[in-house]
Amino acid sequence: AKMNSNPVKEHSYHNQVTVLGAGWSGILATKYMLEEGLTVATLERRDNLGGVWYYSDDSRENTVMKSTIASSSSAVTEMSDYPMPNEIGYFPHHKDMLQYLH
């Protein structure tokens, strides 16, 4: 039998990821992938990031209500390496959550 004398070529893979949605999970997924050196494109259907925290009067959008405050404390909700400012308070209003995500 004839053996193949061609060496196995190493493949170079380009690490590129697309994140759909720039809500809380999409923002964090993007952050962590960038920290790992991946090339990331984050796509958001709406005109701003924030997911459900980005309030809209449009009944077709699933968002918080004007009066919504977080049901978990800022100490539990904040990112481990990006603390929420003290002035946000213990249970942030949705506007504060959106500002934090920006």
Side-chain angles (χ1 to χ4, degrees):
K2 186 175 179 181
M3 294 184 61
N4 187 350
S5 61
N6 294 333
V8 176
K9 294 182 180 179
E10 289 188 31
H11 293 283
S12 174
Y13 294 99
H14 179 73
N15 295 319
Q16 187 165 357
V17 179
T18 301
V19 175
L20 301 179
W24 195 277
S25 296
I27 291 169
L28 285 173
T30 300
K31 173 189 180 303
Y32 292 127
M33 285 187 268
L34 287 171
E35 288 175 357
E36 291 297 319
L38 297 169
T39 303
V40 182
T42 302
L43 306 177
E44 173 55 50
R45 179 178 53 84
R46 297 174 68 198
D47 63 350
N48 203 342
L49 61 80
V52 298
W53 293 106
Y54 177 39
Y55 173 78
S56 174
D57 284 324
D58 186 343
S59 62
R60 296 171 295 177
E61 295 291 344
N62 293 318
T63 71
V64 295
M65 298 183 298
K66 285 183 181 179
S67 61
T68 299
I69 60 170
S71 60
S72 57
S73 73
S74 54
V76 171
T77 306
E78 68 188 5
M79 297 173 213
S80 61
D81 59 346
Y82 185 59
M84 287 189 179
N86 289 336
E87 56 271 10
I88 281 183
Y90 200 64
F91 291 101
H93 187 270
H94 75 85
K95 290 179 184 178
D96 296 320
M97 293 294 284
L98 184 61
Q99 183 177 358
Y100 173 74
L101 291 174
H102 277 251

